[in-house]
Amino acid sequence: MAKITKVSPLAPAAFPDLPAIDGVRFATIEAGVRYQGRTDVMLAVMDPGTSVAGVFTCSATRAAPVLDCQDKIGGPSDGPAAILVNSGNANAFTGHYGQTSVAAVTQAVATATGVPVGRVFTSSTGVIGEPLPHDRIVSQLEALKAGLSMHALEDAAQAIRTTDTFPKGASAQVEIDGKTVSISGIAKGSGMIAPDMATMLVYIFTDAKVEQAALQQMLGAQTDRTFNCITVDSDTSTSDSLLLCATGASGVDATGDAAFAEALENVMLNLAKQVVRDGEGATKFVEIRVTGAASDTDAKVHGLAIANSPLVKTAIAGEDPNWGRVVMAIGKSGAAADRDLLSISFGDILVAEKGWVSPKYREEAAAAYMTGQDLVIAVDLGLGEGMSTVWTCDLTHGYIEINADYRS
Amino acid sequence: MAKITKVSPLAPAAFPDLPAIDGVRFATIEAGVRYQGRTDVMLAVMDPGTSVAGVFTCSATRAAPVLDCQDKIGGPSDGPAAILVNSGNANAFTGHYGQTSVAAVTQAVATATGVPVGRVFTSSTGVIGEPLPHDRIVSQLEALKAGLSMHALEDAAQAIRTTDTFPKGASAQVEIDGKTVSISGIAKGSGMIAPDMATMLVYIFTDAKVEQAALQQMLGAQTDRTFNCITVDSDTSTSDSLLLCATGASGVDATGDAAFAEALENVMLNLAKQVVRDGEGATKFVEIRVTGAASDTDAKVHGLAIANSPLVKTAIAGEDPNWGRVVMAIGKSGAAADRDLLSISFGDILVAEKGWVSPKYREEAAAAYMTGQDLVIAVDLGLGEGMSTVWTCDLTHGYIEINADYRS
């Protein structure tokens, strides 16, 4: 099991002050699913009228809780809703026993809280291939219910961590028709892995009122521009899940409201960037801006090819302005590129243009820029109007240590 | 520039004894393109009647010599042919000057050897983005011509290395109609990088007679099963090139001969595996066998997803039988998979079956297996008849050291 020795150097100074969301209460507990001496289960209960939207991993080997959530999203929306998350065991690749565990946990939540079982969503994150000791969770449900509070969002962010080096939260408030609507979200993921794989879990709550179909549509589009634009190592968990819950308790209908949509996207992007900042072994946070591509899709393909290239990532770790590796990554991506129209910048430094090193380029200036902690690599394809921005971190000895040097 | 401190632990004991190929002569020289105190240019001249086939990188940013070779393959085949390769400078991302250099070198080879310029093929490997000092090559051509010998194949394998830790060669001989036909090949690549990216270059020669179109067709199919089935870090060079030259000097027409095709494919696979064995920082050679896929294409997609997964590769480096990461890689590959039909073996040890850990599995046995140097990971999808085998190496601190710890 990977040992977490210190907080990521890219971590924010402190957990943010998240506004409580009217209509949602949280509780956490030490259930001893796998970890000892820390909380490992969180329960959220939402009032009747809450719309729940969700996006999930595209993995063909996704875990039982993910399959259960996918079945339920978009279903009957009467009554209250609940989310239960455990850390320490992913209930993934556990055969038919995985569904048995999900059924046991969701039924227990329904019984304890009065939430219809069709509105109980669960996630599990941690070791895979081991049966989930779901009795340890079931036996804590009365205590969890008794502890529900509007003000336990940071506790929830702590309980869902596996080996993240810091808890992740973000919020926004917007004025709509003279009233304040709040959005608060928490996330875990891409932190150090123990012992199997990083899973990204995200839960976002708002007191705005948004009809479920509209909420789901907005969430899908925004996920493509936020969580689907980050990468640490190109590997995808079997359990990635994002749930967005709109309680409507503010009485403000935010359906189709542009300011609300923007605020929500900002919360998602903030959480997504925090996941990258907790990337395994990360010492640099890198923004890859691609413009001038034949299409937005092509731009994203190029951006992710650069962001996932081990040679680009190790060059960044080595503070080496190795633009040749960026050219290589663009060339291999499969999306349209013309070598002789390509330009590349590191920060404000124009490195290459028209298929060759810029006559103004001085290696010393670029090398000095690469010593920074937050870096921007900009690529212009010179082909069209397509653009995309993706975010990643460097590939360091820390990544190897976390994933190779310790046995599960 | 990466420092090569020692030969890969996966290297063969010695360079093989390659049969000379009637109709091909080689010469090498110290031209000082970039390296000092070692040969860095090789020239091969083939007799009239030689068929030349080639396959090249699919990179959209491929280097000038690659574009020139692609133009010439399949063109007029009268007269002799020549290949000139330099190491130390890739002549890649050098704008229009790149074509100027190729034209200067190919014309000089034509003038010195009498080979038509349309039959002069060149490759360059090394630093990118710097103009090729082609005068240093041009000025050596008379000396190269004077040194041509049938027996300098190992010298040629040495001259084309950048920071490979060992030269790579392989051969085969087959009897056709009572006569012996020989195949000898050399390769460089996937070794340590100095300072930019690994480039794979392969040159294979045979005294068999095979018409160019048939040779090209055979080469393409065999490349898909050999060189396109290996991966070190998923990054693709702008300069990868493979040239296959059939001199016909044996007088034996091998067109359509199954034994010849098999012998050629064995030489290609042998060279491809040597490239993996010289993978940057490699300490384990890994064969990924995928069976039971919906199609051969799907099987290869799964195999490469496993082989390129940083989490799988670091687990192998850590001698951790972490089959959960194999499940993850299959799930993310995009090809068809059913979690509950999947089985996974490490060597002869059945690890997982029907979507869960095998009841017979013992972690200790798998952990002991993982301490070996040559490993086999077998995956059966349980869906169909599709199969593919790919080869890779582990991801170690050595990779990070080579690519991050030294500045170019």
Side-chain angles (χ1 to χ4, degrees):
Chain A
M1 180 167 150
K3 287 179 189 149
I4 310 297
T5 51
K6 57 176 195 288
V7 172
S8 167
L10 307 176
F15 191 81
D17 196 14
L18 303 182
I21 303 298
D22 203 8
V24 195
R25 291 168 299 148
F26 300 90
T28 62
I29 206 157
E30 295 184 22
V33 171
R34 180 182 177 95
Y35 307 128
Q36 303 299 323
R38 53 157 282 189
T39 57
D40 58 354
V41 174
M42 85 103 179
L43 174 68
V45 178
M46 281 78 71
D47 288 350
T50 298
S51 298
V52 182
V55 289
F56 303 93
T57 180
C58 293
S59 171
T61 54
R62 46 194 179 272
V66 173
L67 295 168
D68 185 63
C69 283
Q70 289 182 301
D71 281 348
K72 291 173 176 174
I73 289 290
S77 57
D78 298 338
I83 300 172
L84 185 135
V85 183
N86 76 272
S87 55
N89 183 309
N91 190 17
F93 215 65
T94 43
H96 293 298
Y97 188 79
Q99 280 98 292
T100 304
S101 291
V102 172
V105 170
T106 53
Q107 187 54 58
V109 171
T111 302
T113 62
V115 171
V117 73
R119 297 262 286 166
V120 178
F121 302 90
T122 68
S123 305
S124 296
T125 176
V127 64
I128 89 165
E130 292 186 10
L132 178 67
H134 55 254
D135 288 347
R136 296 181 197 170
I137 300 170
V138 168
S139 65
Q140 299 291 337
L141 272 166
E142 288 301 328
L144 279 163
K145 183 192 174 193
L148 286 167
S149 155
M150 277 184 70
H151 304 288
L153 205 42
E154 182 173 353
D155 293 344
Q158 291 282 6
I160 65 175
R161 292 189 307 141
T162 50
T163 46
D164 300 55
T165 75
F166 60 91
K168 298 163 188 73
S171 69
Q173 292 187 310
V174 268
E175 299 290 316
I176 301 178
D177 300 337
K179 287 185 180 171
T180 299
V181 165
S182 299
I183 305 168
S184 288
I186 58 173
K188 70 135 298 209
S190 288
M192 299 186 177
I193 283 168
D196 282 293
M197 72 193 67
T199 288
M200 192 171 72
L201 299 178
V202 186
Y203 305 96
I204 302 175
F205 306 90
T206 175
D207 53 9
K209 182 176 169 62
V210 186
E211 188 266 325
Q212 201 277 338
L215 197 69
Q216 183 69 36
Q217 188 175 26
M218 181 166 57
L219 179 64
Q222 295 184 337
T223 300
D224 278 345
R225 294 191 294 269
T226 56
F227 288 102
N228 287 346
C229 287
I230 62 170
T231 181
V232 169
D233 57 9
S234 80
D235 278 336
T236 305
S237 164
T238 54
S239 301
D240 291 334
S241 298
L242 189 167
L243 291 170
L244 168 61
C245 306
T247 67
S250 66
V252 179
D253 191 335
T255 308
D257 186 90
F260 176 78
E262 186 184 342
L264 176 63
E265 187 161 331
N266 285 339
V267 169
M268 290 170 67
L269 190 56
N270 185 328
L271 291 171
K273 288 181 178 178
Q274 288 188 54
V275 170
V276 173
R277 287 182 180 278
D278 208 5
E280 301 167 328
T283 67
K284 310 269 187 190
F285 178 82
V286 188
E287 179 166 308
I288 316 274
R289 292 183 196 152
V290 179
T291 55
S295 67
D296 288 354
T297 302
D298 266 21
K300 193 165 172 179
V301 169
H302 282 304
L304 287 173
I306 297 166
N308 280 324
S309 161
L311 288 174
V312 171
K313 294 165 85 79
T314 48
I316 293 167
E319 302 186 338
D320 179 1
N322 197 323
W323 56 272
R325 295 185 184 176
V326 177
V327 175
M328 176 280 302
I330 293 165
K332 76 162 181 169
S333 80
D338 181 331
R339 187 190 65 188
D340 296 339
L341 297 176
L342 202 54
S343 66
I344 299 169
S345 298
F346 287 1
D348 293 332
I349 302 165
L350 180 64
V351 176
E353 56 182 334
K354 295 176 191 154
W356 206 1
V357 64
S358 166
K360 283 168 278 182
Y361 175 67
R362 294 293 171 271
E363 166 107 356
E364 306 71 45
Y369 176 74
M370 296 300 288
T371 63
Q373 198 170 63
D374 281 37
L375 302 173
V376 176
I377 297 177
V379 170
D380 190 277
L381 278 301
L383 293 175
E385 302 297 316
M387 59 175 66
S388 180
T389 300
V390 306
W391 295 272
T392 192
C393 56
D394 52 347
L395 174 57
T396 68
H397 283 291
Y399 184 88
I400 308 289
E401 275 161 29
I402 294 160
N403 289 300
D405 292 355
Y406 299 96
R407 289 290 316 283
S408 57
Chain B
M1 179 168 150
K3 287 180 187 148
I4 310 298
T5 51
K6 57 177 194 286
V7 173
S8 167
L10 307 176
F15 191 82
D17 197 12
L18 303 182
I21 303 297
D22 202 7
V24 195
R25 292 167 300 148
F26 300 89
T28 62
I29 207 158
E30 295 185 22
V33 171
R34 180 182 178 95
Y35 307 128
Q36 302 299 322
R38 53 157 281 189
T39 57
D40 58 354
V41 174
M42 86 102 179
L43 174 68
V45 178
M46 281 79 71
D47 287 350
T50 299
S51 299
V52 182
V55 288
F56 303 92
T57 180
C58 293
S59 171
T61 55
R62 47 194 180 272
V66 173
L67 295 169
D68 185 64
C69 283
Q70 288 182 301
D71 282 347
K72 292 172 176 174
I73 289 289
S77 57
D78 297 338
I83 299 172
L84 185 135
V85 183
N86 76 273
S87 55
N89 183 309
N91 190 17
F93 214 65
T94 43
H96 293 298
Y97 189 81
Q99 280 96 295
T100 304
S101 290
V102 172
V105 171
T106 53
Q107 186 54 57
V109 171
T111 303
T113 61
V115 171
V117 73
R119 297 261 286 165
V120 178
F121 302 90
T122 68
S123 305
S124 296
T125 176
V127 63
I128 89 165
E130 291 185 10
L132 177 67
H134 55 255
D135 288 347
R136 297 181 198 170
I137 300 169
V138 168
S139 66
Q140 299 292 338
L141 272 165
E142 289 301 329
L144 279 163
K145 183 191 172 192
L148 286 167
S149 154
M150 277 184 70
H151 304 287
L153 206 42
E154 181 172 353
D155 294 343
Q158 292 282 4
I160 64 176
R161 292 190 307 141
T162 51
T163 47
D164 300 54
T165 75
F166 59 90
K168 299 164 187 72
S171 68
Q173 291 187 309
V174 268
E175 299 291 315
I176 301 178
D177 299 336
K179 288 186 181 170
T180 300
V181 165
S182 299
I183 304 169
S184 288
I186 58 173
K188 69 135 301 209
S190 289
M192 300 187 179
I193 283 169
D196 283 294
M197 73 193 68
T199 289
M200 192 173 71
L201 300 178
V202 187
Y203 306 96
I204 303 175
F205 306 89
T206 175
D207 52 8
K209 183 176 170 61
V210 186
E211 187 265 324
Q212 201 279 335
L215 197 67
Q216 183 69 36
Q217 187 175 27
M218 180 165 59
L219 179 63
Q222 294 184 338
T223 300
D224 279 344
R225 293 190 295 268
T226 56
F227 288 102
N228 287 346
C229 289
I230 63 170
T231 180
V232 168
D233 57 9
S234 80
D235 278 336
T236 306
S237 163
T238 54
S239 303
D240 291 335
S241 300
L242 189 168
L243 291 170
L244 168 61
C245 307
T247 67
S250 66
V252 180
D253 191 337
T255 307
D257 185 90
F260 177 78
E262 185 184 342
L264 176 62
E265 187 162 331
N266 285 340
V267 168
M268 290 170 67
L269 190 57
N270 185 329
L271 290 171
K273 289 181 178 179
Q274 288 188 55
V275 169
V276 173
R277 286 182 180 278
D278 208 4
E280 301 168 329
T283 67
K284 309 268 187 190
F285 178 82
V286 188
E287 179 167 308
I288 315 274
R289 293 183 194 152
V290 180
T291 55
S295 67
D296 288 353
T297 302
D298 266 21
K300 193 165 172 180
V301 169
H302 283 304
L304 288 173
I306 297 166
N308 280 324
S309 161
L311 288 174
V312 171
K313 293 165 86 78
T314 48
I316 293 167
E319 303 186 338
D320 179 1
N322 198 322
W323 56 273
R325 296 186 184 176
V326 177
V327 174
M328 176 280 302
I330 293 164
K332 75 161 183 170
S333 81
D338 182 330
R339 187 191 64 189
D340 296 339
L341 296 176
L342 202 55
S343 65
I344 299 169
S345 299
F346 287 1
D348 292 332
I349 302 165
L350 180 64
V351 177
E353 56 183 333
K354 295 177 191 154
W356 206 1
V357 64
S358 166
K360 282 168 276 179
Y361 176 67
R362 295 292 170 270
E363 167 105 358
E364 305 72 46
Y369 176 75
M370 297 299 288
T371 63
Q373 198 170 65
D374 280 39
L375 302 174
V376 176
I377 297 177
V379 171
D380 191 278
L381 278 300
L383 294 174
E385 302 298 316
M387 60 175 66
S388 179
T389 301
V390 306
W391 296 271
T392 191
C393 56
D394 53 347
L395 173 57
T396 68
H397 283 291
Y399 184 87
I400 308 289
E401 274 161 32
I402 294 160
N403 289 302
D405 292 356
Y406 299 95
R407 287 290 317 282
S408 57

